[in-house]
Amino acid sequence: MTEAIIRAQQVEKFYAQPSENRIQVIAPTDLSIAPGEIVALLGPSGSGKSTLLRMLSGLSKPSGGKVFWHEKPIDTVQIHVSIVFQSFALFPWLTVLENVEAPLKAKGIEAEERRARSLKILDTVGLDGFAAAYPKELSGGMRQRVGFARALVVEPEVLFMDEPFSALDVLTAENLRSELLELWQKKTIPTQAIFIVTHNIEEAVLLADRIIVLGRNPGHVRTDFKVGLPQPRDRKSAAFTKLVDYIYTVLTRPDVTPDVPRLHTDGRHVRDQRQMRYEMLPHARPGGIAGLLEIIIDFSGHTDVYRLADELAFEIDDLLPIVDAAQLLGFLMVEEGDVSITPAGREYAESEILKQKELFRAAATEHVLLLRQINRALNNKTDHTVPEEFFLDMLDEQFSEEETQRQLETAINWGRYAELFDFDAARRRFILPETEETAASIQESSES
Amino acid sequence: MKVRYTLSRSLVIDRSWPFFLDLTVAMGLLAGFYAVLQIARYWLSGPVPEVVISQSPRMLPLYAFYSVVRIGVAYLLSLLFAVGYGYVAAYHRRVETLMIATLDILQSIPVLSFLPGVMLAMMSLIPSRQLGIEFGAILLIFTGQVWNMAFSFYTSLKSIPRELHEACTINRFSRWQRFWQLELPYSTIGLVWNSMVSVAGGWFFLMVCEMFPVGNRNFRLPGLGSYLQTAASTGNSLAMIYGLSTMIAIIVLTDQLIWRPIIDWSDKFKFENVEAAERVTSPVLAALRQSNVLGILHQRTFAPFSEYIYHLISRRQQRHEAEDKVEKSKMSSTVIAVIFAVLIAGLICFAAFKAILLLRHIPGSDFGNLLAGAGATFFRVNVSLLFAAAWTIPAGVAIGFNPKLARIAQPLAQIAASFPATALFPVILLALMKLGAGLGIGSIVLMMLGTQWYILFNVIAGAMAIPSDLREVARLFHFTSMQRWTTVILPGIFPFLITGLVTASGGAWNASIIAEYFHLKDQTLHTLGLGAQISAASDSGNFPVLLLATIIMALMVVTINRLVWRPLYKLAETKYRLEG
């Protein structure tokens, strides 16, 4: 095992009382943060989550025990950490840029370099163009982006987060979470480890490689385990819900200590690509799916496949692939020839085009293994391109040669629509649609 | 990228008349330079303790200028002291309680009692220059305005949210950076409002301490206060009108040229993210923001200077971290601190002992008189508070509930409040005497004049803070007006009312020294009261009585604060708080 970046040895926190007895906040605890992991700290309120974070980050001195930074006592060396706060903790009288520059100013970095680094990190967190705004003028989500930028601009080795998403609404939080994961997985930021305090179980299971659950009176570690699920994680998968249930039980029943679910050996709960079969992609176009859903809504969301074909003067064989595709994506429910639209399908059909793409993207990566694999492969490769053959070989094992080609064609069709990837037909390669970003930035710099 | 950033918001605004604006700013800078030169020449001239005050209106601009400089210097000193005191008190737990208790008591001591002592001390300290007398006056104004500012800064520091502090610590902000980027901005709004109150208080005392007798000597400083006093004592009503108009002009100009731009500017330091219904706007600030000269001045001088400082500090910090922390220096510094503390404590004990020795010579009858006076003044202070509350509560609530009225009334009230009551004393006394009222009643009016504003402003703020849904409930259920007042309005404004009353009560005690004893047209009006006794003792140079009377007054104010106001305050903070 690699050497821990931060290691706490029997740290505890208590407040001395005038009378003999003292208030113990955290019982002596061992804990370490290793490079390459996202550690989530869960616990009921009053279990000392934040106190523990502050001791690990060197903000607060433990009442007993020691904290080591690369095996040296933390108060004797220079440490590279930052914190993202629940309340954002921005200075309202400084502009976004000045807020982000402040930590660099503290390091005595020259004005020119300070500005360049800050603008770059603002760009990374999606705040390009907001440099001169004051935090007051931004929404909560945007403010927390500034909080992230300020924490990341010093290129911390360990990034601490104290309930960073709990002051935000659900959708904004979800969005920021996935962006953070993206930065982390693509190694856009040089951060070695992330330590996040949260009270949201799903958030912990979504993000973390390792989860620590605290109990209270006084704070102590109830359980500390690794999350074996691959990213991106699916909230609806059995393994995910099993983990959530397990943590929920630990949190609500202080008297029992259930076993950590054994996800690795149980193939059903883990999405192991090698063991899974590709679903047969119905050869339908995304536009057709949207059209079908709109028609079904006109039938007040529920109808019979044959009546539908009749009504549209469609051959049933032409209609079925579209119905199957909609069903695969979770937009339709089909039962004995009756189709009814799902809430997700209704939302998709009624959204405007950009939102539709977004929903399609979510549904496609959620339900279509092939698309998920292509996307993952592209994200993991440094040059963000993957040759077509790579997937042809894998599909070959399951489909005939002709069908393999058609499967890939449909996948390309869907993936392009969802803007998951692009396909270079000349070189027969999948590429990540990164070009769009650079195009936008070129346009911007030419404007200024 | 770079180009876009440098187009910061202020420059994007369409600039009209840039040349004219720059010229104005440049002229302002030149004028400032000349003024400094003028003041320096006057201060360094030989001392003339009994300046003859001319009553010609032509001398008024110069007199007004001298007074303004006194106020300005005293204010700057106060600001520096307040920030230093507040900072030390907030961050040194060992001395914190002592320092705050000291502040509490110093706030209750009648400043004017120190007038003769301070003047004589300053005269003997700098005997050969006018600076000595000037400095005495400035010091007195300073002691009148510094305490509330220090307290405001201290409470601001104490209420900085923990996470902001942590953000500074985790990023290893130096003290310097923390001060400029967190502490000072966070406390700016409180400091600004307290500065306004303090400067108004400064004018109040300036009117008195520019001209006063100590024993057989008569101190006079050329200034607006001495001009008004001379006019009053000779009964020259034309000169009085000139003087009062000048005073009004100064107040209005200060409001427009200094306070409004500052309030407008300080809006960015608001920590809460609540949208202000209406904010003070200032054309002067807008003009300054568009000025080229100031922008360049900032870029050429301030910005590089601050860069230099940050650079220096970070280098020093790095060196500090490179060396291992030396425990020895810490030890020796605590030893020095202890020695220092013991020395100061010894000095204080010695001085206090000497002061008590002074009191030995006071005859018992004087003591009885002082107690009777204290009773009379106590009565007067409370009557004045009662009267002030009687009109300010309905008026304040009316203004607070009616945004339209507030827009007109508030700036007017602010100007009225900044107007030093002491400047009006002679006028009002003359009018009262024509009506046949003596100083006994007159002094109540005078006390009210100085202190009613504190109550008014707080009541307005309180009425504005009552949530509109509470008022809607009252309307919905058709509350009678009696019910409205007792269940909604009075409980709603209670915390604010208490704050106003505490301040007003302190102010009234202090004002009693002037209000109960007055020189008017070659005669000295006075009535029974502790304030009058202090004034008389200081006039005749009777220091033991002066000391005793001052102690009695301070004790009374502190006792009333502890026994009456503090419990009420606690009640206001617990039961009548309006936040969920």
Side-chain angles (χ1 to χ4, degrees):
Chain A
M1 194 183 137
T2 43
E3 182 205 65
I5 305 176
I6 296 177
R7 189 168 63 83
Q9 187 184 312
Q10 292 292 297
V11 288
E12 58 178 323
K13 192 85 178 177
F14 52 79
Y15 296 107
Q17 287 292 94
S19 53
E20 287 292 291
N21 51 356
R22 61 194 193 187
I23 298 176
Q24 186 89 25
V25 183
I26 293 177
T29 301
D30 288 328
L31 209 157
S32 63
I33 302 172
E37 64 177 7
I38 300 183
V39 182
L41 185 64
L42 274 166
S45 49
S47 58
K49 298 188 293 281
S50 294
T51 314
L52 197 55
L53 178 141
R54 277 159 179 78
M55 291 196 293
L56 289 174
S57 60
L59 264 185
S60 130
K61 239 179 126 90
S63 318
K66 279 195 176 106
V67 181
F68 297 96
W69 172 264
H70 287 293
E71 297 307 322
K72 291 190 186 109
I74 200 161
D75 46 0
T76 60
V77 286
Q78 192 155 11
I79 61 172
H80 303 280
V81 297
S82 335
I83 301 186
V84 175
F85 294 96
Q86 180 180 9
S87 67
F88 319 143
L90 302 173
F91 304 115
W93 38 84
L94 301 183
T95 63
V96 167
L97 183 66
E98 287 166 337
N99 261 295
V100 177
E101 272 188 38
L104 299 179
K105 215 170 179 179
K107 290 181 152 203
I109 290 170
E110 299 291 331
E112 289 285 316
E113 192 193 337
R114 227 160 53 203
R115 180 149 310 157
R117 276 174 71 174
S118 304
L119 285 172
K120 190 165 160 246
I121 200 78
L122 282 176
D123 204 23
T124 311
V125 300
L127 280 173
D128 196 18
F130 286 92
Y134 283 96
K136 263 177 241 201
E137 305 167 74
L138 305 180
S139 66
M142 293 298 237
R143 279 185 219 169
Q144 191 56 300
R145 279 171 198 265
V146 183
F148 273 112
R150 185 179 64 185
L152 291 173
V153 76
V154 291
E155 310 198 325
E157 224 173 304
V158 181
L159 177 65
F160 286 93
M161 298 196 279
D162 189 6
E163 308 209 4
F165 306 114
S166 59
L168 307 174
D169 66 81
V170 183
L171 286 178
T172 310
E174 184 70 38
N175 195 8
L176 267 182
R177 257 197 299 270
S178 60
E179 284 185 38
L180 172 75
L181 261 185
E182 208 178 304
L183 291 180
W184 166 255
Q185 283 169 342
K186 285 191 191 163
K187 307 260 175 243
T188 319
I189 47 175
T191 302
Q192 292 287 309
I194 294 179
F195 185 91
I196 176 170
V197 164
T198 175
H199 61 245
N200 182 335
I201 301 176
E202 278 206 0
E203 182 172 290
V205 181
L206 268 176
L207 292 175
D209 301 309
R210 199 177 124 209
I211 293 177
I212 301 167
V213 182
L214 290 187
R216 61 180 156 198
N217 295 329
H220 61 282
V221 175
R222 294 282 307 284
T223 171
D224 177 349
F225 62 94
K226 283 205 156 49
V227 182
L229 304 174
Q231 291 283 6
R233 289 174 191 163
D234 174 8
R235 284 172 195 268
K236 292 197 195 95
S237 75
F240 191 99
T241 46
K242 201 167 175 183
L243 257 189
V244 170
D245 287 346
Y246 160 68
I247 297 170
Y248 187 79
T249 316
V250 174
L251 280 172
T252 48
R253 305 270 313 269
D255 47 321
V256 295
T257 317
D259 288 329
V260 181
R262 299 169 55 118
L263 303 167
H264 291 280
T265 51
D266 191 346
R268 278 178 308 153
H269 296 304
V270 176
R271 250 198 197 142
D272 190 330
Q273 263 65 4
R274 279 150 305 190
Q275 288 173 15
M276 274 177 90
R277 285 179 58 84
Y278 290 106
E279 41 302 65
M280 171 92 159
L281 280 185
H283 306 297
R285 289 180 174 278
I289 299 170
L292 175 74
L293 292 173
E294 275 169 32
I295 291 163
I296 296 174
I297 288 176
D298 287 345
F299 281 99
S300 60
H302 185 90
T303 183
D304 179 311
V305 179
Y306 294 95
R307 224 184 103 204
L308 196 66
D310 214 24
E311 191 82 25
L312 296 169
F314 256 50
E315 286 296 318
I316 192 83
D317 284 350
D318 294 334
L319 182 62
L320 276 180
I322 309 177
V323 173
D324 285 348
Q327 185 188 14
L328 174 66
L329 292 169
F331 293 156
L332 272 186
M333 287 231 303
V334 183
E335 253 180 56
E336 298 175 6
D338 277 348
V339 294
S340 47
I341 196 161
T342 61
R346 190 176 288 275
E347 194 198 352
Y348 173 72
E350 286 171 354
S351 299
E352 41 81 33
I353 180 75
L354 281 178
K355 180 73 183 164
Q356 263 189 346
K357 286 194 176 210
E358 209 172 285
L359 292 169
F360 192 92
R361 181 158 57 232
T365 39
E366 169 111 13
H367 299 289
V368 184
L369 175 63
L370 179 57
L371 289 174
R372 196 158 60 231
Q373 279 186 337
I374 298 175
N375 195 33
R376 168 100 49 82
L378 286 173
N379 278 325
N380 286 348
K381 280 197 63 179
T382 42
D383 59 350
H384 299 316
T385 75
V386 181
E388 180 194 37
E389 283 116 309
F390 184 69
F391 296 102
L392 283 175
D393 287 346
M394 295 207 296
L395 288 165
D396 252 348
E397 290 174 22
Q398 212 177 313
F399 298 111
S400 68
E401 200 172 312
E402 191 191 12
E403 186 54 38
T404 300
Q405 274 300 341
R406 291 187 61 186
Q407 284 292 316
L408 213 54
E409 259 175 47
T410 307
I412 290 169
N413 205 335
W414 287 17
R416 275 180 165 160
Y417 169 77
E419 294 179 8
L420 275 170
F421 51 73
D422 212 334
F423 185 71
D424 186 341
R427 295 190 299 146
R428 308 302 294 174
R429 275 174 163 271
F430 290 96
I431 46 178
L432 211 58
E434 223 185 3
T435 41
E436 208 178 271
E437 270 175 44
T438 34
S441 53
I442 288 166
Q443 201 181 356
E444 266 172 27
S445 52
S446 64
E447 270 168 15
S448 58
Chain B
M1 276 306 226
K2 215 182 131 198
V3 182
R4 188 175 36 165
Y5 173 71
T6 42
L7 271 176
S8 67
R9 38 193 55 223
S10 63
L11 292 176
V12 177
I13 305 170
D14 214 277
R15 292 166 49 96
S16 52
W17 293 91
F19 174 72
F20 176 73
L21 283 172
D22 291 341
L23 201 68
T24 319
V25 171
M27 295 223 305
L29 292 176
L30 280 179
F33 181 72
Y34 176 73
V36 169
L37 213 70
Q38 196 64 22
I39 274 292
R41 194 180 297 160
Y42 159 63
W43 277 3
L44 295 180
S45 63
V48 190
E50 302 193 13
V51 182
V52 179
I53 303 294
S54 152
Q55 291 190 35
S56 147
R58 243 189 270 159
M59 290 301 285
L60 260 177
L62 186 67
Y63 286 165
F65 170 66
Y66 283 148
S67 293
V68 167
V69 168
R70 265 168 223 137
I71 293 279
V73 172
Y75 171 71
L76 286 181
L77 283 178
S78 304
L79 187 63
L80 286 178
F81 181 88
V83 166
Y85 196 95
Y87 196 91
V88 173
Y91 287 116
H92 293 82
R93 205 167 296 160
R94 259 181 239 163
V95 288
E96 182 175 350
T97 38
L98 178 69
M99 284 181 83
I100 294 311
T102 313
L103 207 58
D104 201 29
I105 289 173
L106 285 176
Q107 234 173 337
S108 324
I109 287 179
V111 178
L112 291 171
S113 300
F114 292 97
L115 192 68
V118 169
M119 279 301 177
L120 293 175
M122 279 298 155
M123 282 284 288
S124 49
L125 206 65
I126 314 174
S128 59
R129 293 276 182 272
Q130 185 68 15
L131 194 65
I133 316 173
E134 282 293 339
F135 209 73
I138 288 170
L139 204 65
L140 275 168
I141 303 167
F142 163 85
T143 49
Q145 53 185 200
V146 69
W147 315 119
N148 60 322
M149 288 168 63
F151 200 71
S152 155
F153 189 66
Y154 165 79
T155 40
S156 292
L157 287 186
K158 279 302 206 182
S159 61
I160 293 176
R162 189 181 70 154
E163 291 202 333
L164 281 183
H165 261 309
E166 289 177 343
C168 293
T169 315
I170 202 81
N171 288 315
R172 263 182 249 112
F173 279 20
S174 54
R175 276 181 177 216
W176 172 261
Q177 188 175 7
R178 203 174 54 174
F179 180 74
W180 289 105
Q181 294 203 318
L182 174 63
E183 287 151 354
L184 198 60
Y186 190 83
S187 37
T188 297
I189 292 194
L191 273 182
V192 167
W193 289 104
N194 276 285
S195 297
M196 289 174 68
V197 173
S198 284
V199 169
W203 279 107
F204 184 93
F205 290 118
L206 181 91
M207 290 294 135
V208 184
C209 65
E210 276 182 354
M211 187 167 161
F212 60 94
V214 178
N216 53 359
R217 300 177 72 175
N218 217 340
F219 287 93
R220 282 198 208 112
L221 289 168
L224 198 55
S226 47
Y227 181 89
L228 276 168
Q229 278 198 48
T230 316
S233 58
T234 54
N236 183 345
S237 39
L238 197 64
M240 269 166 84
I241 290 172
Y242 285 139
L244 288 179
S245 322
T246 314
M247 190 69 238
I248 292 174
I250 290 174
I251 299 282
V252 171
L253 281 178
T254 325
D255 185 63
Q256 291 295 320
L257 294 182
I258 297 177
W259 296 129
R260 283 187 154 255
I262 287 181
I263 293 171
D264 185 2
W265 165 80
S266 71
D267 193 68
K268 75 169 181 175
F269 299 113
K270 272 207 180 110
F271 191 72
E272 294 82 22
N273 297 307
V274 211
E275 282 298 312
E278 57 197 273
R279 48 175 291 185
V280 175
T281 52
S282 161
V284 178
L285 181 69
L288 278 180
R289 277 193 172 141
Q290 286 189 40
S291 158
N292 257 338
V293 175
L294 284 186
I296 289 171
L297 209 66
H298 171 85
Q299 253 173 24
R300 292 275 158 80
T301 58
F302 180 71
F305 178 69
S306 113
E307 284 301 322
Y308 174 73
I309 297 241
Y310 278 111
H311 198 71
L312 214 68
I313 287 172
S314 78
R315 267 192 23 213
R316 224 185 57 188
Q317 224 165 18
Q318 273 160 15
R319 220 178 313 142
H320 229 64
E321 267 158 18
E323 301 163 8
D324 262 354
K325 275 158 201 160
V326 189
E327 291 291 318
K328 199 175 62 192
S329 69
K330 207 176 168 188
M331 267 296 286
S332 63
S333 74
T334 28
V335 169
I336 289 173
V338 166
I339 292 173
F340 202 66
V342 167
L343 264 175
I344 287 188
L347 255 164
I348 289 174
C349 286
F350 178 73
F353 180 68
K354 279 288 192 191
I356 287 169
L357 281 186
L358 260 181
L359 299 182
R360 267 189 327 189
H361 305 293
I362 299 173
S365 62
D366 273 10
F367 199 75
N369 276 341
L370 284 177
L371 282 185
T377 303
F378 177 72
F379 174 73
R380 245 175 242 129
V381 164
N382 288 316
V383 169
S384 84
L385 281 187
L386 210 65
F387 278 128
W391 85 264
T392 51
I393 291 176
V397 168
I399 294 173
F401 278 0
N402 187 343
K404 261 189 213 155
L405 187 62
R407 217 167 299 142
I408 306 164
Q410 229 174 354
L412 284 181
Q414 250 163 41
I415 288 179
S418 328
F419 197 87
T422 33
L424 280 180
F425 275 15
V427 184
I428 288 175
L429 266 188
L430 283 175
L432 280 174
M433 279 166 67
K434 273 205 182 115
L435 290 172
L439 198 62
I441 295 168
S443 60
I444 294 180
V445 177
L446 296 180
M447 284 180 193
M448 233 180 95
L449 204 64
T451 56
Q452 57 195 350
W453 307 109
Y454 297 121
I455 312 177
L456 180 67
F457 285 132
N458 277 290
V459 170
I460 293 177
M464 281 177 162
I466 295 179
S468 56
D469 40 3
L470 280 189
R471 284 160 57 199
E472 275 158 14
V473 166
R475 208 173 312 136
L476 195 66
F477 295 124
H478 299 290
F479 280 17
T480 59
S481 62
M482 178 71 184
Q483 214 177 353
R484 234 162 58 90
W485 276 94
T486 52
T487 58
V488 181
I489 299 173
L490 285 179
I493 62 171
F494 186 72
F496 295 85
L497 185 62
I498 294 299
T499 315
L501 284 173
V502 174
T503 329
S505 153
W509 277 99
N510 227 330
S512 72
I513 297 176
I514 309 166
E516 290 175 348
Y517 186 91
F518 212 85
H519 299 279
L520 197 68
K521 277 200 210 160
D522 300 329
Q523 51 174 323
T524 306
L525 303 172
H526 62 96
T527 175
L528 176 68
L530 197 58
Q533 282 154 345
I534 288 178
S535 288
S538 123
D539 266 14
S540 56
N542 186 350
F543 291 115
V545 171
L546 177 62
L547 181 66
L548 185 61
T550 308
I551 291 174
I552 291 177
M553 189 176 274
L555 271 180
M556 285 196 74
V557 177
V558 173
T559 315
I560 293 168
N561 277 352
R562 293 278 150 84
L563 292 185
V564 181
W565 298 122
R566 199 167 286 179
L568 281 175
Y569 219 79
K570 213 155 253 171
L571 186 70
E573 278 205 324
T574 49
K575 189 173 171 190
Y576 293 108
R577 258 175 79 120
L578 269 173
E579 295 96 273

